[in-house]
PDB file of all heavy atoms in Angstrom:
ATOM      1  N   VAL A   1       0.852  -1.196   0.000  1.00  0.00           N
ATOM      2  CA  VAL A   1       0.000   0.000   0.000  1.00  0.00           C
ATOM      3  C   VAL A   1       0.885   1.242   0.000  1.00  0.00           C
ATOM      4  O   VAL A   1       0.629   2.204  -0.725  1.00  0.00           O
ATOM      5  CB  VAL A   1      -0.966  -0.009   1.213  1.00  0.00           C
ATOM      6  CG1 VAL A   1      -1.726   1.294   1.319  1.00  0.00           C
ATOM      7  CG2 VAL A   1      -1.916  -1.202   1.129  1.00  0.00           C
ATOM      8  N   ARG A   2       1.949   1.203   0.795  1.00  0.00           N
ATOM      9  CA  ARG A   2       2.912   2.310   0.833  1.00  0.00           C
ATOM     10  C   ARG A   2       3.498   2.558  -0.556  1.00  0.00           C
ATOM     11  O   ARG A   2       3.569   3.690  -1.011  1.00  0.00           O
ATOM     12  CB  ARG A   2       4.027   1.984   1.826  1.00  0.00           C
ATOM     13  CG  ARG A   2       5.074   3.037   1.978  1.00  0.00           C
ATOM     14  CD  ARG A   2       6.419   2.802   1.322  1.00  0.00           C
ATOM     15  NE  ARG A   2       6.872   1.436   1.322  1.00  0.00           N
ATOM     16  CZ  ARG A   2       7.642   0.937   0.368  1.00  0.00           C
ATOM     17  NH1 ARG A   2       8.024   1.661  -0.652  1.00  0.00           N
ATOM     18  NH2 ARG A   2       8.031  -0.305   0.414  1.00  0.00           N
ATOM     19  N   TRP A   3       3.904   1.499  -1.216  1.00  0.00           N
ATOM     20  CA  TRP A   3       4.483   1.636  -2.552  1.00  0.00           C
ATOM     21  C   TRP A   3       3.486   2.294  -3.508  1.00  0.00           C
ATOM     22  O   TRP A   3       3.849   3.180  -4.273  1.00  0.00           O
ATOM     23  CB  TRP A   3       4.897   0.260  -3.084  1.00  0.00           C
ATOM     24  CG  TRP A   3       5.224   0.279  -4.537  1.00  0.00           C
ATOM     25  CD1 TRP A   3       6.399   0.671  -5.111  1.00  0.00           C
ATOM     26  CD2 TRP A   3       4.344  -0.060  -5.602  1.00  0.00           C
ATOM     27  NE1 TRP A   3       6.307   0.581  -6.474  1.00  0.00           N
ATOM     28  CE2 TRP A   3       5.041   0.128  -6.806  1.00  0.00           C
ATOM     29  CE3 TRP A   3       3.031  -0.519  -5.673  1.00  0.00           C
ATOM     30  CZ2 TRP A   3       4.481  -0.117  -8.052  1.00  0.00           C
ATOM     31  CZ3 TRP A   3       2.483  -0.767  -6.902  1.00  0.00           C
ATOM     32  CH2 TRP A   3       3.196  -0.569  -8.071  1.00  0.00           C
ATOM     33  N   ALA A   4       2.227   1.863  -3.424  1.00  0.00           N
ATOM     34  CA  ALA A   4       1.205   2.385  -4.335  1.00  0.00           C
ATOM     35  C   ALA A   4       0.844   3.837  -4.051  1.00  0.00           C
ATOM     36  O   ALA A   4       0.466   4.568  -4.962  1.00  0.00           O
ATOM     37  CB  ALA A   4      -0.049   1.515  -4.262  1.00  0.00           C
ATOM     38  N   ILE A   5       0.988   4.268  -2.802  1.00  0.00           N
ATOM     39  CA  ILE A   5       0.551   5.624  -2.449  1.00  0.00           C
ATOM     40  C   ILE A   5       1.731   6.546  -2.139  1.00  0.00           C
ATOM     41  O   ILE A   5       1.974   7.512  -2.856  1.00  0.00           O
ATOM     42  CB  ILE A   5      -0.438   5.583  -1.260  1.00  0.00           C
ATOM     43  CG1 ILE A   5      -1.689   4.789  -1.644  1.00  0.00           C
ATOM     44  CG2 ILE A   5      -0.805   6.994  -0.820  1.00  0.00           C
ATOM     45  CD1 ILE A   5      -2.628   4.511  -0.497  1.00  0.00           C
ATOM     46  N   VAL A   6       2.466   6.248  -1.078  1.00  0.00           N
ATOM     47  CA  VAL A   6       3.505   7.176  -0.603  1.00  0.00           C
ATOM     48  C   VAL A   6       4.615   7.352  -1.636  1.00  0.00           C
ATOM     49  O   VAL A   6       5.026   8.481  -1.931  1.00  0.00           O
ATOM     50  CB  VAL A   6       4.075   6.718   0.758  1.00  0.00           C
ATOM     51  CG1 VAL A   6       5.161   7.671   1.235  1.00  0.00           C
ATOM     52  CG2 VAL A   6       2.965   6.608   1.799  1.00  0.00           C
ATOM     53  N   ASP A   7       5.110   6.246  -2.183  1.00  0.00           N
ATOM     54  CA  ASP A   7       6.183   6.363  -3.179  1.00  0.00           C
ATOM     55  C   ASP A   7       5.735   7.219  -4.359  1.00  0.00           C
ATOM     56  O   ASP A   7       6.506   8.046  -4.868  1.00  0.00           O
ATOM     57  CB  ASP A   7       6.608   4.984  -3.694  1.00  0.00           C
ATOM     58  CG  ASP A   7       7.367   4.160  -2.657  1.00  0.00           C
ATOM     59  OD1 ASP A   7       7.333   4.516  -1.471  1.00  0.00           O
ATOM     60  OD2 ASP A   7       7.962   3.147  -3.052  1.00  0.00           O
ATOM     61  N   ASN A   8       4.510   7.034  -4.785  1.00  0.00           N
ATOM     62  CA  ASN A   8       4.009   7.814  -5.919  1.00  0.00           C
ATOM     63  C   ASN A   8       3.788   9.276  -5.565  1.00  0.00           C
ATOM     64  O   ASN A   8       3.981  10.151  -6.412  1.00  0.00           O
ATOM     65  CB  ASN A   8       2.737   7.180  -6.486  1.00  0.00           C
ATOM     66  CG  ASN A   8       3.063   5.919  -7.263  1.00  0.00           C
ATOM     67  OD1 ASN A   8       3.918   5.932  -8.133  1.00  0.00           O
ATOM     68  ND2 ASN A   8       2.409   4.832  -6.929  1.00  0.00           N
ATOM     69  N   VAL A   9       3.404   9.558  -4.334  1.00  0.00           N
ATOM     70  CA  VAL A   9       3.279  10.953  -3.898  1.00  0.00           C
ATOM     71  C   VAL A   9       4.662  11.608  -3.896  1.00  0.00           C
ATOM     72  O   VAL A   9       4.826  12.733  -4.375  1.00  0.00           O
ATOM     73  CB  VAL A   9       2.611  11.052  -2.504  1.00  0.00           C
ATOM     74  CG1 VAL A   9       2.764  12.449  -1.921  1.00  0.00           C
ATOM     75  CG2 VAL A   9       1.150  10.659  -2.590  1.00  0.00           C
ATOM     76  N   LEU A  10       5.670  10.900  -3.391  1.00  0.00           N
ATOM     77  CA  LEU A  10       7.025  11.454  -3.376  1.00  0.00           C
ATOM     78  C   LEU A  10       7.553  11.705  -4.785  1.00  0.00           C
ATOM     79  O   LEU A  10       8.300  12.656  -5.011  1.00  0.00           O
ATOM     80  CB  LEU A  10       7.968  10.528  -2.608  1.00  0.00           C
ATOM     81  CG  LEU A  10       7.771  10.508  -1.094  1.00  0.00           C
ATOM     82  CD1 LEU A  10       8.601   9.403  -0.465  1.00  0.00           C
ATOM     83  CD2 LEU A  10       8.091  11.848  -0.478  1.00  0.00           C
ATOM     84  N   GLU A  11       7.153  10.874  -5.724  1.00  0.00           N
ATOM     85  CA  GLU A  11       7.597  11.035  -7.112  1.00  0.00           C
ATOM     86  C   GLU A  11       6.984  12.277  -7.780  1.00  0.00           C
ATOM     87  O   GLU A  11       7.462  12.718  -8.814  1.00  0.00           O
ATOM     88  CB  GLU A  11       7.252   9.791  -7.932  1.00  0.00           C
ATOM     89  CG  GLU A  11       8.164   8.621  -7.672  1.00  0.00           C
ATOM     90  CD  GLU A  11       9.577   8.838  -8.188  1.00  0.00           C
ATOM     91  OE1 GLU A  11       9.755   9.391  -9.290  1.00  0.00           O
ATOM     92  OE2 GLU A  11      10.507   8.460  -7.468  1.00  0.00           O
ATOM     93  N   LEU A  12       5.937  12.842  -7.186  1.00  0.00           N
ATOM     94  CA  LEU A  12       5.310  14.027  -7.760  1.00  0.00           C
ATOM     95  C   LEU A  12       6.179  15.275  -7.615  1.00  0.00           C
ATOM     96  O   LEU A  12       6.021  16.230  -8.366  1.00  0.00           O
ATOM     97  CB  LEU A  12       3.954  14.288  -7.099  1.00  0.00           C
ATOM     98  CG  LEU A  12       2.865  13.242  -7.336  1.00  0.00           C
ATOM     99  CD1 LEU A  12       1.633  13.566  -6.501  1.00  0.00           C
ATOM    100  CD2 LEU A  12       2.516  13.148  -8.807  1.00  0.00           C
ATOM    101  N   PHE A  13       7.080  15.273  -6.655  1.00  0.00           N
ATOM    102  CA  PHE A  13       7.887  16.448  -6.363  1.00  0.00           C
ATOM    103  C   PHE A  13       9.293  16.279  -6.921  1.00  0.00           C
ATOM    104  O   PHE A  13       9.939  15.263  -6.675  1.00  0.00           O
ATOM    105  CB  PHE A  13       7.948  16.691  -4.849  1.00  0.00           C
ATOM    106  CG  PHE A  13       6.592  16.855  -4.233  1.00  0.00           C
ATOM    107  CD1 PHE A  13       5.987  15.798  -3.570  1.00  0.00           C
ATOM    108  CD2 PHE A  13       5.913  18.054  -4.334  1.00  0.00           C
ATOM    109  CE1 PHE A  13       4.723  15.938  -3.007  1.00  0.00           C
ATOM    110  CE2 PHE A  13       4.657  18.204  -3.782  1.00  0.00           C
ATOM    111  CZ  PHE A  13       4.056  17.147  -3.117  1.00  0.00           C
ATOM    112  N   PRO A  14       9.781  17.273  -7.641  1.00  0.00           N
ATOM    113  CA  PRO A  14      11.124  17.160  -8.229  1.00  0.00           C
ATOM    114  C   PRO A  14      12.218  16.863  -7.200  1.00  0.00           C
ATOM    115  O   PRO A  14      13.158  16.141  -7.485  1.00  0.00           O
ATOM    116  CB  PRO A  14      11.348  18.525  -8.885  1.00  0.00           C
ATOM    117  CG  PRO A  14       9.972  19.044  -9.150  1.00  0.00           C
ATOM    118  CD  PRO A  14       9.108  18.512  -8.044  1.00  0.00           C
ATOM    119  N   SER A  15      12.100  17.402  -5.996  1.00  0.00           N
ATOM    120  CA  SER A  15      13.153  17.212  -4.994  1.00  0.00           C
ATOM    121  C   SER A  15      13.211  15.791  -4.454  1.00  0.00           C
ATOM    122  O   SER A  15      14.204  15.402  -3.836  1.00  0.00           O
ATOM    123  CB  SER A  15      12.961  18.191  -3.832  1.00  0.00           C
ATOM    124  OG  SER A  15      11.780  17.885  -3.123  1.00  0.00           O
ATOM    125  N   THR A  16      12.158  15.010  -4.670  1.00  0.00           N
ATOM    126  CA  THR A  16      12.159  13.635  -4.159  1.00  0.00           C
ATOM    127  C   THR A  16      11.976  12.603  -5.268  1.00  0.00           C
ATOM    128  O   THR A  16      11.729  11.435  -4.982  1.00  0.00           O
ATOM    129  CB  THR A  16      11.057  13.442  -3.087  1.00  0.00           C
ATOM    130  OG1 THR A  16       9.806  13.880  -3.607  1.00  0.00           O
ATOM    131  CG2 THR A  16      11.388  14.204  -1.818  1.00  0.00           C
ATOM    132  N   ARG A  17      12.119  13.023  -6.500  1.00  0.00           N
ATOM    133  CA  ARG A  17      11.997  12.094  -7.619  1.00  0.00           C
ATOM    134  C   ARG A  17      13.218  11.175  -7.665  1.00  0.00           C
ATOM    135  O   ARG A  17      14.345  11.631  -7.491  1.00  0.00           O
ATOM    136  CB  ARG A  17      11.877  12.878  -8.918  1.00  0.00           C
ATOM    137  CG  ARG A  17      10.991  12.208  -9.927  1.00  0.00           C
ATOM    138  CD  ARG A  17      10.648  13.117 -11.080  1.00  0.00           C
ATOM    139  NE  ARG A  17       9.442  13.861 -10.770  1.00  0.00           N
ATOM    140  CZ  ARG A  17       9.199  15.108 -11.143  1.00  0.00           C
ATOM    141  NH1 ARG A  17      10.074  15.766 -11.844  1.00  0.00           N
ATOM    142  NH2 ARG A  17       8.069  15.688 -10.806  1.00  0.00           N
ATOM    143  N   GLN A  18      12.990   9.893  -7.893  1.00  0.00           N
ATOM    144  CA  GLN A  18      14.101   8.946  -7.999  1.00  0.00           C
ATOM    145  C   GLN A  18      14.939   9.259  -9.230  1.00  0.00           C
ATOM    146  O   GLN A  18      14.397   9.407 -10.320  1.00  0.00           O
ATOM    147  CB  GLN A  18      13.580   7.522  -8.148  1.00  0.00           C
ATOM    148  CG  GLN A  18      12.985   6.927  -6.922  1.00  0.00           C
ATOM    149  CD  GLN A  18      12.579   5.483  -7.172  1.00  0.00           C
ATOM    150  OE1 GLN A  18      13.254   4.733  -7.856  1.00  0.00           O
ATOM    151  NE2 GLN A  18      11.449   5.096  -6.607  1.00  0.00           N
ATOM    152  N   PRO A  19      16.249   9.324  -9.051  1.00  0.00           N
ATOM    153  CA  PRO A  19      17.101   9.539 -10.219  1.00  0.00           C
ATOM    154  C   PRO A  19      17.231   8.235 -11.015  1.00  0.00           C
ATOM    155  O   PRO A  19      16.981   7.149 -10.495  1.00  0.00           O
ATOM    156  CB  PRO A  19      18.444   9.926  -9.599  1.00  0.00           C
ATOM    157  CG  PRO A  19      18.443   9.269  -8.264  1.00  0.00           C
ATOM    158  CD  PRO A  19      16.999   9.271  -7.810  1.00  0.00           C
ATOM    159  N   ASP A  20      17.596   8.365 -12.268  1.00  0.00           N
ATOM    160  CA  ASP A  20      17.838   7.194 -13.113  1.00  0.00           C
ATOM    161  C   ASP A  20      19.274   6.734 -12.848  1.00  0.00           C
ATOM    162  O   ASP A  20      20.215   7.145 -13.524  1.00  0.00           O
ATOM    163  CB  ASP A  20      17.627   7.565 -14.591  1.00  0.00           C
ATOM    164  CG  ASP A  20      17.661   6.348 -15.493  1.00  0.00           C
ATOM    165  OD1 ASP A  20      17.559   5.213 -14.978  1.00  0.00           O
ATOM    166  OD2 ASP A  20      17.793   6.537 -16.716  1.00  0.00           O
ATOM    167  N   LEU A  21      19.437   5.915 -11.819  1.00  0.00           N
ATOM    168  CA  LEU A  21      20.759   5.511 -11.350  1.00  0.00           C
ATOM    169  C   LEU A  21      21.438   4.560 -12.327  1.00  0.00           C
ATOM    170  O   LEU A  21      20.780   3.767 -13.002  1.00  0.00           O
ATOM    171  CB  LEU A  21      20.643   4.837  -9.981  1.00  0.00           C
ATOM    172  CG  LEU A  21      20.081   5.716  -8.868  1.00  0.00           C
ATOM    173  CD1 LEU A  21      19.773   4.891  -7.639  1.00  0.00           C
ATOM    174  CD2 LEU A  21      21.050   6.843  -8.537  1.00  0.00           C
ATOM    175  N   ASP A  22      22.745   4.634 -12.351  1.00  0.00           N
ATOM    176  CA  ASP A  22      23.545   3.743 -13.193  1.00  0.00           C
ATOM    177  C   ASP A  22      23.821   2.451 -12.412  1.00  0.00           C
ATOM    178  O   ASP A  22      24.862   2.294 -11.792  1.00  0.00           O
ATOM    179  CB  ASP A  22      24.848   4.440 -13.591  1.00  0.00           C
ATOM    180  CG  ASP A  22      25.677   3.607 -14.546  1.00  0.00           C
ATOM    181  OD1 ASP A  22      25.212   2.527 -14.964  1.00  0.00           O
ATOM    182  OD2 ASP A  22      26.798   4.039 -14.856  1.00  0.00           O
ATOM    183  N   ARG A  23      22.879   1.542 -12.444  1.00  0.00           N
ATOM    184  CA  ARG A  23      22.976   0.309 -11.667  1.00  0.00           C
ATOM    185  C   ARG A  23      23.989  -0.689 -12.240  1.00  0.00           C
ATOM    186  O   ARG A  23      24.265  -1.702 -11.620  1.00  0.00           O
ATOM    187  CB  ARG A  23      21.604  -0.327 -11.530  1.00  0.00           C
ATOM    188  CG  ARG A  23      20.653   0.569 -10.722  1.00  0.00           C
ATOM    189  CD  ARG A  23      19.317  -0.099 -10.479  1.00  0.00           C
ATOM    190  NE  ARG A  23      18.312   0.826 -10.014  1.00  0.00           N
ATOM    191  CZ  ARG A  23      18.152   1.224  -8.758  1.00  0.00           C
ATOM    192  NH1 ARG A  23      18.935   0.778  -7.825  1.00  0.00           N
ATOM    193  NH2 ARG A  23      17.194   2.064  -8.436  1.00  0.00           N
ATOM    194  N   THR A  24      24.566  -0.395 -13.403  1.00  0.00           N
ATOM    195  CA  THR A  24      25.593  -1.282 -13.949  1.00  0.00           C
ATOM    196  C   THR A  24      26.825  -1.299 -13.048  1.00  0.00           C
ATOM    197  O   THR A  24      27.591  -2.256 -13.060  1.00  0.00           O
ATOM    198  CB  THR A  24      26.013  -0.852 -15.376  1.00  0.00           C
ATOM    199  OG1 THR A  24      26.530   0.479 -15.328  1.00  0.00           O
ATOM    200  CG2 THR A  24      24.827  -0.919 -16.336  1.00  0.00           C
ATOM    201  N   LYS A  25      26.991  -0.247 -12.235  1.00  0.00           N
ATOM    202  CA  LYS A  25      28.138  -0.176 -11.322  1.00  0.00           C
ATOM    203  C   LYS A  25      28.017  -1.145 -10.149  1.00  0.00           C
ATOM    204  O   LYS A  25      28.977  -1.346  -9.411  1.00  0.00           O
ATOM    205  CB  LYS A  25      28.303   1.256 -10.810  1.00  0.00           C
ATOM    206  CG  LYS A  25      28.689   2.224 -11.907  1.00  0.00           C
ATOM    207  CD  LYS A  25      28.865   3.613 -11.379  1.00  0.00           C
ATOM    208  CE  LYS A  25      29.255   4.545 -12.529  1.00  0.00           C
ATOM    209  NZ  LYS A  25      29.433   5.906 -12.069  1.00  0.00           N
ATOM    210  N   LEU A  26      26.851  -1.760  -9.976  1.00  0.00           N
ATOM    211  CA  LEU A  26      26.664  -2.711  -8.881  1.00  0.00           C
ATOM    212  C   LEU A  26      27.431  -4.011  -9.107  1.00  0.00           C
ATOM    213  O   LEU A  26      27.497  -4.850  -8.219  1.00  0.00           O
ATOM    214  CB  LEU A  26      25.169  -3.000  -8.673  1.00  0.00           C
ATOM    215  CG  LEU A  26      24.356  -1.837  -8.124  1.00  0.00           C
ATOM    216  CD1 LEU A  26      22.874  -2.186  -8.083  1.00  0.00           C
ATOM    217  CD2 LEU A  26      24.853  -1.449  -6.739  1.00  0.00           C
ATOM    218  N   LYS A  27      28.028  -4.176 -10.278  1.00  0.00           N
ATOM    219  CA  LYS A  27      28.860  -5.358 -10.550  1.00  0.00           C
ATOM    220  C   LYS A  27      30.122  -5.341  -9.698  1.00  0.00           C
ATOM    221  O   LYS A  27      30.677  -6.383  -9.382  1.00  0.00           O
ATOM    222  CB  LYS A  27      29.223  -5.419 -12.031  1.00  0.00           C
ATOM    223  CG  LYS A  27      28.047  -5.658 -12.929  1.00  0.00           C
ATOM    224  CD  LYS A  27      28.452  -5.579 -14.388  1.00  0.00           C
ATOM    225  CE  LYS A  27      27.234  -5.625 -15.292  1.00  0.00           C
ATOM    226  NZ  LYS A  27      27.582  -5.371 -16.690  1.00  0.00           N
ATOM    227  N   ASP A  28      30.574  -4.152  -9.335  1.00  0.00           N
ATOM    228  CA  ASP A  28      31.760  -4.011  -8.493  1.00  0.00           C
ATOM    229  C   ASP A  28      31.384  -4.361  -7.045  1.00  0.00           C
ATOM    230  O   ASP A  28      30.439  -3.782  -6.489  1.00  0.00           O
ATOM    231  CB  ASP A  28      32.274  -2.573  -8.566  1.00  0.00           C
ATOM    232  CG  ASP A  28      33.437  -2.327  -7.625  1.00  0.00           C
ATOM    233  OD1 ASP A  28      34.393  -3.115  -7.654  1.00  0.00           O
ATOM    234  OD2 ASP A  28      33.363  -1.347  -6.853  1.00  0.00           O
ATOM    235  N   PRO A  29      32.089  -5.311  -6.404  1.00  0.00           N
ATOM    236  CA  PRO A  29      31.739  -5.733  -5.041  1.00  0.00           C
ATOM    237  C   PRO A  29      31.741  -4.595  -4.012  1.00  0.00           C
ATOM    238  O   PRO A  29      30.903  -4.561  -3.116  1.00  0.00           O
ATOM    239  CB  PRO A  29      32.797  -6.787  -4.697  1.00  0.00           C
ATOM    240  CG  PRO A  29      33.333  -7.242  -6.005  1.00  0.00           C
ATOM    241  CD  PRO A  29      33.202  -6.085  -6.950  1.00  0.00           C
ATOM    242  N   ASP A  30      32.689  -3.656  -4.134  1.00  0.00           N
ATOM    243  CA  ASP A  30      32.736  -2.537  -3.187  1.00  0.00           C
ATOM    244  C   ASP A  30      31.544  -1.605  -3.369  1.00  0.00           C
ATOM    245  O   ASP A  30      30.966  -1.114  -2.399  1.00  0.00           O
ATOM    246  CB  ASP A  30      34.035  -1.750  -3.341  1.00  0.00           C
ATOM    247  CG  ASP A  30      35.254  -2.547  -2.901  1.00  0.00           C
ATOM    248  OD1 ASP A  30      35.089  -3.468  -2.071  1.00  0.00           O
ATOM    249  OD2 ASP A  30      36.363  -2.254  -3.398  1.00  0.00           O
ATOM    250  N   THR A  31      31.169  -1.373  -4.609  1.00  0.00           N
ATOM    251  CA  THR A  31      30.010  -0.534  -4.894  1.00  0.00           C
ATOM    252  C   THR A  31      28.740  -1.205  -4.390  1.00  0.00           C
ATOM    253  O   THR A  31      27.882  -0.555  -3.785  1.00  0.00           O
ATOM    254  CB  THR A  31      29.905  -0.253  -6.405  1.00  0.00           C
ATOM    255  OG1 THR A  31      31.116   0.363  -6.832  1.00  0.00           O
ATOM    256  CG2 THR A  31      28.737   0.665  -6.720  1.00  0.00           C
TER     257      THR A  31
END
């Protein structure tokens, strides 16, 4: 329910919008 409501409310505001992260860097164990 949180995902369906709160996450989407946070996405409405530019300051809390999820960035398009470069998840390819997760291949590095330290990262």
Side-chain angles (χ1 to χ4, degrees):
V1 173
R2 181 256 324 150
W3 168 81
I5 298 171
V6 179
D7 289 15
N8 286 309
V9 167
L10 288 171
E11 284 291 319
L12 294 174
F13 303 100
S15 67
T16 53
R17 214 168 271 145
Q18 288 183 38
D20 189 15
L21 298 170
D22 184 4
R23 296 185 194 277
T24 60
K25 294 181 180 180
L26 291 175
K27 294 175 188 172
D28 175 50
D30 292 335
T31 303

